[in-house]
Protein backbone atom coordinates (compact mmCIF):
# COMPACT_ATOMS: atom_id res chain seq x y z
CA UNK A 1 0.00 0.00 0.00
CA UNK A 2 1.40 3.42 -1.01
CA UNK A 3 1.10 6.38 1.27
CA UNK A 4 1.24 10.00 0.06
CA UNK A 5 4.13 12.07 1.36
CA UNK A 6 2.09 15.22 1.09
CA UNK A 7 1.00 16.80 4.33
CA UNK A 8 -2.46 18.05 5.05
CA UNK A 9 -2.82 21.82 4.58
CA UNK A 10 -2.27 23.87 7.68
CA UNK A 11 -4.35 26.94 8.32
CA UNK A 12 -2.65 29.97 9.86
CA UNK A 13 -4.51 32.63 11.75
CA UNK A 14 -3.31 35.99 12.81
CA UNK A 15 -2.90 36.36 16.52
CA UNK A 16 -5.53 38.49 18.17
CA UNK A 17 -3.55 41.06 20.12
CA UNK A 18 -6.56 41.93 22.20
CA UNK A 19 -6.89 38.44 23.70
CA UNK A 20 -5.02 37.81 26.91
CA UNK A 21 -2.53 35.01 27.55
CA UNK A 22 -5.06 33.05 29.63
CA UNK A 23 -7.43 32.82 26.68
CA UNK A 24 -4.58 31.68 24.40
CA UNK A 25 -3.63 29.00 26.87
CA UNK A 26 -7.19 27.69 27.01
CA UNK A 27 -7.35 27.54 23.21
CA UNK A 28 -4.09 25.59 22.68
CA UNK A 29 -3.76 23.28 25.71
CA UNK A 30 -6.74 21.00 24.87
CA UNK A 31 -5.16 20.18 21.51
CA UNK A 32 -1.81 19.38 23.06
CA UNK A 33 -3.46 17.27 25.76
CA UNK A 34 -5.40 15.21 23.20
CA UNK A 35 -2.24 14.69 21.17
CA UNK A 36 -0.31 13.40 24.18
CA UNK A 37 -3.17 11.05 25.10
CA UNK A 38 -3.15 9.48 21.62
CA UNK A 39 0.60 8.82 21.84
CA UNK A 40 0.21 7.27 25.30
CA UNK A 41 -2.56 4.94 24.11
CA UNK A 42 -0.50 3.92 21.09
CA UNK A 43 2.50 3.14 23.29
CA UNK A 44 0.37 1.11 25.70
CA UNK A 45 -1.13 -0.95 22.86
CA UNK A 46 2.35 -1.57 21.46
CA UNK A 47 3.58 -2.85 24.84
CA UNK A 48 0.59 -5.19 25.17
CA UNK A 49 1.16 -6.65 21.70
CA UNK A 50 4.89 -7.18 22.31
CA UNK A 51 4.17 -8.79 25.72
CA UNK A 52 1.64 -11.20 24.15
CA UNK A 53 4.10 -12.20 21.43
CA UNK A 54 6.83 -12.77 24.01
CA UNK A 55 4.54 -15.00 26.13
CA UNK A 56 3.52 -17.00 23.06
CA UNK A 57 7.15 -17.53 22.05
CA UNK A 58 8.11 -18.72 25.54
CA UNK A 59 5.17 -21.12 25.74
CA UNK A 60 5.93 -22.62 22.32
CA UNK A 61 9.65 -22.98 22.98
CA UNK A 62 9.09 -25.05 26.07
CA UNK A 63 10.16 -22.53 28.69
CA UNK A 64 6.71 -23.00 30.21
CA UNK A 65 7.30 -26.65 31.08
CA UNK A 66 3.92 -27.51 32.60
CA UNK A 67 0.33 -26.97 31.64
CA UNK A 68 -2.77 -27.59 33.74
CA UNK A 69 -5.25 -30.04 32.26
CA UNK A 70 -8.60 -30.51 34.03
CA UNK A 71 -7.11 -29.29 37.29
CA UNK A 72 -4.11 -31.62 37.23
CA UNK A 73 -0.53 -30.58 36.35
CA UNK A 74 0.72 -32.40 33.27
CA UNK A 75 4.41 -32.31 32.36
CA UNK A 76 4.99 -31.62 28.69
CA UNK A 77 8.14 -32.07 26.62
CA UNK A 78 10.20 -29.08 25.71
CA UNK A 79 10.10 -27.51 22.26
CA UNK A 80 6.51 -28.58 21.52
CA UNK A 81 4.97 -27.38 18.26
CA UNK A 82 2.96 -24.22 18.79
CA UNK A 83 -0.68 -24.18 17.70
CA UNK A 84 0.02 -20.99 15.72
CA UNK A 85 3.17 -22.39 14.17
CA UNK A 86 2.80 -23.69 10.64
CA UNK A 87 4.20 -27.20 10.58
CA UNK A 88 5.60 -28.76 7.41
CA UNK A 89 2.83 -30.81 5.82
CA UNK A 90 5.12 -33.14 3.89
CA UNK A 91 4.52 -36.67 5.10
CA UNK A 92 4.59 -38.55 1.79
CA UNK A 93 7.48 -37.13 -0.22
CA UNK A 94 8.57 -39.83 -2.70
CA UNK A 95 12.03 -38.27 -2.70
CA UNK A 96 12.50 -39.51 0.86
CA UNK A 97 12.65 -43.16 -0.21
CA UNK A 98 10.48 -46.09 -1.31
CA UNK A 99 9.17 -47.07 2.15
CA UNK A 100 6.30 -45.56 4.13
CA UNK A 101 5.60 -46.01 7.85
CA UNK A 102 2.18 -46.59 9.41
CA UNK A 103 2.49 -45.10 12.90
CA UNK A 104 -0.22 -47.02 14.79
CA UNK A 105 -1.56 -45.49 18.02
CA UNK A 106 -3.88 -47.65 20.17
CA UNK A 107 -6.09 -45.08 21.83
CA UNK A 108 -8.97 -44.39 24.19
CA UNK A 109 -9.93 -41.02 25.72
CA UNK A 110 -6.38 -39.70 26.25
CA UNK A 111 -7.01 -36.59 24.18
CA UNK A 112 -4.63 -34.32 26.09
CA UNK A 113 -1.77 -36.69 25.22
CA UNK A 114 -2.88 -37.03 21.59
CA UNK A 115 -2.84 -33.24 21.13
CA UNK A 116 0.83 -33.28 22.10
CA UNK A 117 1.80 -36.53 20.37
CA UNK A 118 0.55 -36.00 16.80
CA UNK A 119 2.26 -32.62 16.07
CA UNK A 120 5.41 -33.71 17.88
CA UNK A 121 5.79 -36.99 15.94
CA UNK A 122 4.86 -35.40 12.62
CA UNK A 123 7.64 -32.84 13.05
CA UNK A 124 10.10 -35.46 14.35
CA UNK A 125 9.56 -37.80 11.38
CA UNK A 126 9.65 -34.98 8.84
CA UNK A 127 13.03 -33.88 10.17
CA UNK A 128 14.27 -37.43 9.66
CA UNK A 129 12.69 -37.52 6.18
CA UNK A 130 10.54 -40.55 7.06
CA UNK A 131 7.44 -40.94 4.91
CA UNK A 132 4.63 -41.69 7.32
CA UNK A 133 0.94 -41.95 8.06
CA UNK A 134 -0.30 -41.48 11.64
CA UNK A 135 -3.16 -43.91 12.36
CA UNK A 136 -5.05 -43.43 15.64
CA UNK A 137 -7.21 -46.49 16.42
CA UNK A 138 -9.86 -45.23 18.83
CA UNK A 139 -11.71 -47.89 20.87
CA UNK A 140 -15.36 -46.81 21.23
CA UNK A 141 -17.04 -49.97 22.57
CA UNK A 142 -17.88 -50.70 26.21
CA UNK A 143 -15.31 -53.44 26.76
CA UNK A 144 -12.04 -53.00 28.61
CA UNK A 145 -9.12 -51.49 26.71
CA UNK A 146 -7.37 -53.94 24.38
CA UNK A 147 -4.10 -52.48 23.09
CA UNK A 148 -3.10 -55.56 21.08
CA UNK A 149 -6.40 -55.81 19.22
CA UNK A 150 -6.29 -52.10 18.36
CA UNK A 151 -2.82 -52.55 16.88
CA UNK A 152 -4.20 -55.45 14.82
CA UNK A 153 -6.94 -53.15 13.55
CA UNK A 154 -4.38 -50.47 12.70
CA UNK A 155 -2.36 -53.00 10.72
CA UNK A 156 -5.42 -54.21 8.78
CA UNK A 157 -6.74 -50.70 8.10
CA UNK A 158 -3.48 -48.90 7.31
CA UNK A 159 -3.74 -49.56 3.57
CA UNK A 160 -1.38 -50.80 0.89
CA UNK A 161 0.43 -47.45 0.72
CA UNK A 162 2.47 -48.36 3.83
CA UNK A 163 4.90 -51.26 4.04
CA UNK A 164 5.99 -51.19 7.71
CA UNK A 165 4.41 -50.35 11.05
CA UNK A 166 5.35 -48.75 14.34
CA UNK A 167 3.45 -50.01 17.38
CA UNK A 168 3.67 -46.73 19.29
CA UNK A 169 2.36 -45.66 22.72
CA UNK A 170 0.70 -42.24 22.70
CA UNK A 171 2.48 -41.15 25.91
CA UNK A 172 6.07 -41.84 24.78
CA UNK A 173 7.97 -39.15 22.86
CA UNK A 174 11.45 -39.65 21.37
CA UNK A 175 13.75 -36.82 22.50
CA UNK A 176 16.90 -37.96 20.67
CA UNK A 177 16.93 -37.36 16.90
CA UNK A 178 19.50 -40.14 16.47
CA UNK A 179 16.77 -42.74 17.09
CA UNK A 180 16.09 -44.77 13.97
CA UNK A 181 12.55 -44.95 12.54
CA UNK A 182 13.58 -46.16 9.08
CA UNK A 183 12.49 -49.38 7.37
CA UNK A 184 13.65 -52.35 9.54
CA UNK A 185 15.17 -54.44 6.78
CA UNK A 186 17.05 -56.91 9.00
CA UNK A 187 14.21 -57.61 11.42
CA UNK A 188 11.95 -56.11 14.12
CA UNK A 189 13.54 -53.01 15.63
CA UNK A 190 12.72 -52.11 19.24
CA UNK A 191 13.18 -48.34 19.43
CA UNK A 192 12.21 -48.06 23.12
CA UNK A 193 14.73 -50.65 24.30
CA UNK A 194 15.04 -51.55 28.01
CA UNK A 195 18.27 -49.59 28.44
CA UNK A 196 16.57 -46.43 27.10
CA UNK A 197 12.95 -46.63 28.25
CA UNK A 198 12.32 -44.42 31.30
CA UNK A 199 10.31 -47.09 33.19
CA UNK A 200 10.67 -50.67 31.86
CA UNK A 201 14.12 -52.23 31.91
CA UNK A 202 13.72 -56.04 31.74
CA UNK A 203 15.45 -57.83 28.86
CA UNK A 204 12.40 -59.34 27.16
CA UNK A 205 10.51 -56.03 27.05
CA UNK A 206 9.35 -55.14 23.52
CA UNK A 207 6.68 -52.51 24.28
CA UNK A 208 6.56 -48.74 23.91
CA UNK A 209 7.80 -48.41 20.33
CA UNK A 210 8.44 -51.40 18.04
CA UNK A 211 9.00 -51.29 14.28
CA UNK A 212 8.19 -54.26 12.02
CA UNK A 213 7.74 -54.78 8.31
CA UNK A 214 4.19 -55.77 7.42
CA UNK A 215 5.54 -59.10 6.24
CA UNK A 216 7.08 -59.82 9.65
CA UNK A 217 3.89 -58.75 11.45
CA UNK A 218 1.93 -61.17 9.27
CA UNK A 219 4.42 -63.95 10.08
CA UNK A 220 3.57 -63.46 13.78
CA UNK A 221 -0.17 -63.53 13.03
CA UNK A 222 -0.27 -60.10 14.66
CA UNK A 223 -0.86 -59.83 18.40
CA UNK A 224 -3.08 -61.92 20.66
CA UNK A 225 -6.63 -60.62 21.20
CA UNK A 226 -6.96 -62.19 24.66
CA UNK A 227 -5.39 -59.35 26.65
CA UNK A 228 -8.11 -57.04 27.97
CA UNK A 229 -7.00 -54.40 30.43
CA UNK A 230 -3.45 -53.17 30.87
CA UNK A 231 -0.29 -55.24 30.38
CA UNK A 232 1.14 -58.62 29.32
CA UNK A 233 0.35 -58.38 25.57
CA UNK A 234 3.94 -57.26 24.84
CA UNK A 235 5.45 -60.19 26.73
CA UNK A 236 3.30 -62.62 24.74
CA UNK A 237 4.36 -60.90 21.49
CA UNK A 238 8.02 -61.38 22.38
CA UNK A 239 7.36 -65.14 22.32
CA UNK A 240 5.67 -64.78 18.94
CA UNK A 241 8.78 -63.14 17.54
CA UNK A 242 10.87 -66.10 18.70
CA UNK A 243 8.36 -68.63 17.34
CA UNK A 244 8.45 -66.90 13.94
CA UNK A 245 12.27 -67.09 13.95
CA UNK A 246 12.69 -63.32 13.85
CA UNK A 247 15.75 -61.68 15.39
CA UNK A 248 15.10 -58.58 17.47
CA UNK A 249 17.30 -55.51 16.97
CA UNK A 250 17.78 -52.49 19.25
CA UNK A 251 19.50 -49.07 19.04
CA UNK A 252 23.28 -48.75 19.28
CA UNK A 253 25.33 -45.71 20.21
CA UNK A 254 22.54 -43.78 21.97
CA UNK A 255 24.17 -41.95 24.91
CA UNK A 256 21.12 -40.28 26.45
CA UNK A 257 20.09 -43.27 28.61
CA UNK A 258 16.74 -43.01 30.39
CA UNK A 259 16.38 -39.42 29.14
CA UNK A 260 16.05 -40.64 25.56
CA UNK A 261 12.25 -40.55 25.82
CA UNK A 262 9.74 -38.28 27.50
CA UNK A 263 6.93 -40.15 29.25
CA UNK A 264 3.97 -37.76 29.42
CA UNK A 265 1.46 -40.07 31.11
CA UNK A 266 0.26 -38.84 34.50
CA UNK A 267 -0.72 -41.91 36.62
CA UNK A 268 -2.30 -39.72 39.28
CA UNK A 269 -4.77 -38.32 36.76
CA UNK A 270 -5.38 -41.38 34.55
CA UNK A 271 -5.01 -44.72 36.29
CA UNK A 272 -4.38 -47.86 34.26
CA UNK A 273 -6.80 -50.78 34.33
CA UNK A 274 -4.64 -53.43 36.02
CA UNK A 275 -7.46 -55.53 37.45
CA UNK A 276 -7.40 -59.28 36.87
CA UNK A 277 -10.97 -60.59 36.55
CA UNK A 278 -12.21 -64.20 36.72
CA UNK A 279 -9.57 -66.60 35.37
CA UNK A 280 -7.55 -63.80 33.78
CA UNK A 281 -4.84 -64.05 36.46
CA UNK A 282 -4.00 -67.61 35.40
CA UNK A 283 -4.52 -67.06 31.66
CA UNK A 284 -2.35 -63.94 31.35
CA UNK A 285 0.93 -65.90 31.34
CA UNK A 286 -0.15 -68.43 28.70
CA UNK A 287 0.86 -68.27 25.05
CA UNK A 288 -1.97 -67.85 22.55
CA UNK A 289 -0.98 -70.29 19.77
CA UNK A 290 -3.77 -69.51 17.30
CA UNK A 291 -5.29 -66.09 18.02
CA UNK A 292 -4.32 -62.85 16.32
CA UNK A 293 -5.09 -61.49 12.86
CA UNK A 294 -6.87 -64.71 11.95
CA UNK A 295 -9.60 -64.37 14.61
CA UNK A 296 -9.77 -60.56 14.78
CA UNK A 297 -13.37 -59.33 14.95
CA UNK A 298 -14.25 -55.64 14.90
CA UNK A 299 -16.39 -52.96 13.28
CA UNK A 300 -15.15 -49.61 11.99
CA UNK A 301 -17.66 -47.01 13.17
CA UNK A 302 -16.03 -44.06 11.42
CA UNK A 303 -12.85 -42.91 9.71
CA UNK A 304 -11.86 -39.27 9.99
CA UNK A 305 -8.98 -37.30 8.53
CA UNK A 306 -7.94 -34.70 11.11
CA UNK A 307 -5.27 -32.03 11.42
CA UNK A 308 -3.85 -31.18 14.85
CA UNK A 309 -1.74 -28.01 14.88
CA UNK A 310 -0.95 -28.56 11.21
CA UNK A 311 -0.17 -32.28 11.57
CA UNK A 312 -2.44 -34.71 9.67
CA UNK A 313 -3.68 -37.99 11.13
CA UNK A 314 -6.34 -40.62 10.49
CA UNK A 315 -8.68 -41.51 13.37
CA UNK A 316 -10.40 -44.89 13.05
CA UNK A 317 -13.16 -45.28 15.64
CA UNK A 318 -13.50 -49.01 16.27
CA UNK A 319 -15.80 -51.35 18.15
CA UNK A 320 -14.09 -54.56 19.19
CA UNK A 321 -15.99 -57.79 19.63
CA UNK A 322 -15.49 -60.16 22.56
CA UNK A 323 -16.24 -63.86 22.96
CA UNK A 324 -17.54 -63.94 26.53
CA UNK A 325 -17.11 -67.71 26.73
CA UNK A 326 -13.44 -67.49 25.77
CA UNK A 327 -12.40 -64.24 27.52
CA UNK A 328 -15.08 -63.25 30.06
CA UNK A 329 -12.65 -60.74 31.56
CA UNK A 330 -13.24 -58.37 28.62
CA UNK A 331 -16.05 -56.89 30.73
CA UNK A 332 -15.59 -54.96 33.96
CA UNK A 333 -18.12 -57.03 35.90
Amino acid sequence: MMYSSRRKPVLYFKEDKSSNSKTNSQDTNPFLSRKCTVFKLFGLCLLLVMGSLLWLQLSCSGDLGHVTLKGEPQALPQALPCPHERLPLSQDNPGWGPHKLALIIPFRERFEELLVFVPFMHTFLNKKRIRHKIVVVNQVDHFRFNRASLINVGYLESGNETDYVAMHDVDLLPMNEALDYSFPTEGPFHVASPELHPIYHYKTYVGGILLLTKQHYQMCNGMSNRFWGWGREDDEFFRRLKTAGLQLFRPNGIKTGYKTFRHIHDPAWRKRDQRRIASQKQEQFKVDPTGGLTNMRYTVESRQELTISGAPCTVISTKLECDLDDTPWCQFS
Side-chain angles (χ1 to χ4, degrees), residues 18-291:
S18 62
S19 60
N20 54 35
S21 59
K22 182 176 181 181
T23 304
N24 289 337
S25 175
Q26 290 175 346
D27 291 340
T28 57
N29 282 348
F31 173 75
L32 293 175
S33 177
R34 287 195 299 271
K35 188 174 181 181
C36 292
T37 302
V38 170
F39 279 113
K40 288 179 180 178
L41 288 175
F42 177 77
L44 180 61
C45 292
L46 185 62
L47 287 175
L48 289 174
V49 170
M50 292 182 65
S52 299
L53 291 175
L54 179 60
W55 180 88
L56 184 62
Q57 178 63 30
L58 289 175
S59 63
C60 295
S61 65
D63 290 342
L64 301 180
H66 293 79
V67 64
T68 300
L69 299 170
K70 296 184 179 180
E72 293 291 336
Q74 171 69 60
L76 297 180
Q78 293 187 358
L80 293 180
C82 181
H84 300 283
E85 179 182 350
R86 179 173 294 181
L87 296 175
L89 293 178
S90 297
Q91 61 172 349
D92 194 16
N93 188 336
W96 291 356
H99 303 293
K100 185 174 180 178
L101 169 67
L103 193 72
I104 299 174
I105 316 302
F107 179 81
R108 176 185 263 177
E109 297 179 347
R110 293 160 72 167
F111 296 101
E112 66 275 14
E113 295 171 5
L114 189 69
L115 292 176
V116 173
F117 180 89
V118 171
F120 185 93
M121 288 306 303
H122 179 66
T123 302
F124 182 87
L125 294 173
N126 276 350
K127 286 181 180 180
K128 297 182 70 63
R129 302 173 68 86
I130 300 292
R131 297 173 63 198
H132 62 279
K133 175 181 181 180
I134 300 178
V135 180
V136 181
V137 189
N138 180 30
Q139 185 175 340
V140 295
D141 54 67
H142 297 291
F143 297 119
R144 300 171 71 192
F145 185 68
N146 192 322
R147 178 179 180 271
S149 290
L150 295 177
I151 293 174
N152 284 341
V153 173
Y155 168 85
L156 294 170
E157 298 291 332
S158 57
N160 296 327
E161 62 190 290
T162 59
D163 56 356
Y164 71 115
V165 300
M167 302 152 54
H168 210 301
D169 288 348
V170 71
D171 58 6
L172 197 61
L173 304 179
M175 306 307 293
N176 189 328
E177 293 186 2
L179 290 169
D180 190 3
Y181 275 74
S182 63
F183 187 79
T185 305
E186 298 180 342
F189 185 73
H190 188 208
V191 180
S193 60
E195 59 272 11
L196 302 177
H197 195 282
I199 298 176
Y200 305 110
H201 309 138
Y202 58 95
K203 292 182 179 180
T204 59
Y205 176 69
V206 292
I209 310 168
L210 181 65
L211 307 182
L212 298 94
T213 67
K214 284 194 166 181
Q215 180 184 4
H216 288 161
Y217 196 81
Q218 185 72 44
M219 288 172 59
C220 296
N221 191 23
M223 303 187 77
S224 172
N225 299 305
R226 297 176 59 83
F227 293 88
W228 301 87
W230 183 83
R232 297 297 181 187
E233 76 282 346
D234 293 326
D235 298 333
E236 201 272 347
F237 192 70
F238 176 79
R239 298 172 186 173
R240 291 185 175 225
L241 294 174
K242 293 182 65 177
T243 302
L246 296 173
Q247 182 179 354
L248 183 67
F249 294 87
R250 285 175 168 148
N252 287 320
I254 302 296
K255 306 297 185 182
T256 44
Y258 298 149
K259 296 182 179 180
T260 303
F261 300 95
R262 189 72 175 267
H263 192 244
I264 61 174
H265 178 78
D266 185 358
W269 166 242
R270 191 178 297 280
K271 297 183 183 298
R272 293 188 171 102
D273 175 17
Q274 297 179 308
R275 287 170 288 182
R276 296 297 179 253
I277 299 173
S279 59
Q280 185 180 14
K281 188 172 184 180
Q282 293 75 34
E283 293 287 332
Q284 65 182 338
F285 297 104
K286 294 182 180 180
V287 177
D288 182 5
T290 58

